Amino acid sequence: QVQLVESGGGLAQPGGSRRLSCAASGLVFGGYDMGWYRQAPGKQREMVATITGDLTGDGGGQADYSDDVKGRFTISRDNAQNTVDLQMNSLKPEDTAVYYCGAAPSGTGLFWMYWGQGTHVIVSS
């Protein structure tokens, strides 16, 4: 069965760095767009970063970022290991949230079919 498992969350200081990882199983990983979303208490879940799968045979790997994290966060994927990572640098208190990994079949316009349980990131001094 499909599973997405996030790891790497925890406490970070403003200006610090964390690296999140999402391990996928039970799916043909290369055929899915992957994304990181986050949700703070009382707020809607918001897109952080996405990276495409292989729809056209070009290998995918095109990344998009929210304006709030552009230049600070980097999304990457390893199709051989079935993982997608989020490198977070220059962290700010407003980055505090539960971060979720999602998977959307390529070609569906980011129709998020699967979600992980989330990993909590707290940025505080």
Side-chain angles (χ1 to χ4, degrees):
Q1 295 184 357
V2 173
Q3 280 192 294
L4 303 177
V5 181
E6 302 97 335
S7 62
L11 179 64
Q13 297 183 20
S17 298
R18 300 288 290 192
R19 188 175 183 91
L20 307 182
S21 183
C22 172
S25 61
L27 50 72
V28 182
F29 184 74
Y32 286 80
D33 300 328
M34 302 297 296
W36 285 98
Y37 283 65
R38 66 188 182 186
Q39 187 168 28
K43 300 182 67 176
Q44 291 186 228
R45 186 176 297 189
E46 64 178 357
M47 188 272 286
V48 177
T50 62
I51 186 165
T52 59
D54 188 5
L55 174 64
T56 65
D58 64 357
Q62 182 171 308
D64 285 325
Y65 300 91
S66 72
D67 290 339
D68 290 340
V69 309
K70 191 173 299 182
R72 299 188 297 120
F73 292 8
T74 302
I75 189 171
S76 61
R77 67 189 296 160
D78 187 331
N79 291 341
Q81 295 186 351
N82 286 12
T83 57
V84 57
D85 290 357
L86 184 70
Q87 178 65 46
M88 305 185 295
N89 298 326
S90 302
L91 285 164
K92 304 175 181 179
E94 51 263 43
D95 295 320
T96 297
V98 177
Y99 284 72
Y100 296 91
C101 174
S106 293
T108 64
L110 300 182
F111 181 80
W112 301 106
M113 184 173 291
Y114 305 109
W115 292 100
Q117 291 295 109
T119 185
H120 201 182
V121 175
I122 301 174
V123 184
S124 176
S125 59

